[in-house]
């Protein structure tokens, strides 16, 4: 999603685009090939709630003395090898906008860090660089979520595990029913996937999408065009984006949220089967 590149550019830095692995996550080999003396940080996005292979990325970062900033917006509660999203890098950033798995009642977000100095800096940057509301230590703006929002989120947090449990059940049902027809999202034994999106891949994507639309089943393409192809970044430095370009033409997110009923899940499955076995294809 374009917000990741925009955050870099707005900070006055230059985003460089690496290729993806088969999960649509940052590919460590591609990143390693792009590192230069001007590189400051690596920013992986944990796409759809499936985490990046962080061990490989951290090796690349350590080898070049780079910071790692996780864009964990789609991965609240996800983990890889027992470590949660946001817990691998120097900083972990989460959007809590209303679409996310742990979504606020409007726009909100948070940053996590293990480092005391970064923590102090972030606390100041949160509100005009003025920690004590008198003395400004760094130029910043007002990025606080308001108290009312925070109070509601504290209550909503009690239901988070339940939401993820339900999404994971729906994903398991889709996995079992759609395997062989389309490429289903992979979750290895090391992954705790939270399915911000349940995204399949098929070379028949556009026709499948039109077919499902005809059956009043909403799908999404998350996210096209690629960040690197958006007008502000067309001349940005990049690796060959061979996998990214292939993936973006094949992805389709199926309905997967905690309010979906069993009947609705089966309707989606039947429709995908009808497309591939019946007249749709
Ligand atoms: C949602 C999202 C963001 C930022 O979202 P906001 O609406 O600005 O809170 C950033 N990165 C990714 C990957 C996202 O999915």
């Amino acid at each position: 999603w374009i917000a990741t590149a925009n955050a870099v550019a707005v900070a006055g830095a230059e985003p460089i685009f690496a290729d993806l692995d088969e999960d649509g996550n940052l590919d460590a080999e591609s990143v390693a090939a792009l590192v230069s003396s001007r590189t400051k940080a690596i920013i992986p996005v944990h796409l759809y709630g499936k985490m990046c292979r962080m061990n490989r990325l951290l090796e690349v970062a350590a080898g070049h003395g780079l910071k790692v900033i996780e864009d964990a917006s789609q991965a609240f509660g996800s983990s890889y090898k027992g470590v949660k999203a946001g817990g691998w890098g120097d900083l972990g950033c989460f959007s809590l906008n209303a679409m996310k798995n742990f979504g606020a009642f409007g726009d909100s977000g948070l940053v996590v860090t293990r480092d005391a100095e970064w923590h102090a800096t972030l606390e100041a940057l949160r509100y005009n660089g003025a920690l004590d509301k008198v003395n400004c230590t760094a130029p910043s703006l007002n990025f606080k979520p308001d108290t009312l929002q925070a109070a509601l989120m504290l209550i909503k947090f009690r239901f988070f595990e339940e939401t993820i449990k339900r999404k994971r059940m729906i994903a398991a049902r889709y996995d079992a029913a759609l395997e062989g027809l389309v490429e289903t999202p992979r979750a290895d034994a090391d992954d705790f996937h939270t399915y911000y999106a349940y995204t399949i891949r098929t070379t028949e994507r556009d026709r499948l999408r039109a077919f499902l639309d005809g059956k009043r089943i909403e799908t999404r393409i998350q996210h096209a065009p690629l960040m690197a192809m958006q007008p502000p970044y067309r001349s940005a430095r990049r690796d060959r984006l061979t996998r990214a370009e292939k993936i973006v033409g094949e992805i389709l997110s199926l309905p997967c949220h905690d309010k979906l009923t069993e009947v609705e899940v089966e309707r989606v499955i039947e429709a995908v089967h009808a497309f591939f076995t019946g007249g749709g294809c």
Side-chain angles (χ1 to χ4, degrees), residues 1-4 45-47 71-74 94-100 107-109 196 223:
W1 169 233
I2 196 68
T4 316
V45 173
H46 306 303
L47 194 67
D71 181 343
S73 295
Q74 301 189 0
F94 295 84
S95 162
L96 305 182
N97 86 23
M99 280 168 54
K100 307 301 190 208
D107 280 322
S108 195
Y196 166 69
H223 305 270

Side-chain angles (χ1 to χ4, degrees), residues 104 191 196 198 216 246 254:
D191 284 308
Y196 166 69
Y198 184 91
R216 301 174 54 80
K246 182 168 192 310
L254 300 181

Side-chain angles (χ1 to χ4, degrees), residues 65-205:
L66 305 175
K67 300 290 183 200
V68 174
I69 304 167
E70 297 174 69
D71 181 343
S73 295
Q74 301 189 0
F76 192 96
S78 297
S79 64
Y80 175 54
K81 292 185 185 293
V83 179
K84 288 232 158 101
W88 288 84
D90 296 280
L91 295 173
C93 307
F94 295 84
S95 162
L96 305 182
N97 86 23
M99 280 168 54
K100 307 301 190 208
N101 279 352
F102 184 51
F105 298 79
D107 280 322
S108 195
L110 58 91
V111 185
V112 297
T113 182
R114 248 179 272 100
D115 184 289
E117 251 175 73
W118 282 65
H119 185 270
T121 306
L122 285 163
E123 261 192 314
L125 292 177
R126 175 169 61 185
Y127 186 69
N128 286 296
L131 194 50
D132 56 7
K133 301 208 167 50
V134 180
N135 301 296
C136 175
T137 54
S140 189
L141 299 170
N142 181 359
F143 297 114
K144 304 192 262 93
D146 56 88
T147 311
L148 187 58
Q149 193 70 245
L152 287 165
M153 292 301 281
L154 280 174
I155 294 166
K156 196 177 176 191
F157 188 65
R158 295 179 201 155
F159 305 96
F160 176 69
E161 254 179 61
E162 211 51 50
T163 305
I164 296 309
K165 214 184 202 172
R166 175 74 188 132
K167 292 189 89 160
R168 283 169 54 87
M169 270 174 61
I170 295 169
R173 175 69 192 119
Y174 279 154
D175 281 348
L178 303 179
E179 188 71 64
L181 288 180
V182 298
E183 205 174 307
T184 55
R186 302 178 309 156
D188 310 324
D190 278 344
D191 284 308
F192 186 82
H193 194 325
T194 52
Y195 298 98
Y196 166 69
Y198 184 91
T199 305
I200 57 164
R201 280 175 62 184
T202 168
T203 51
E204 298 290 332
R205 193 269 310 277

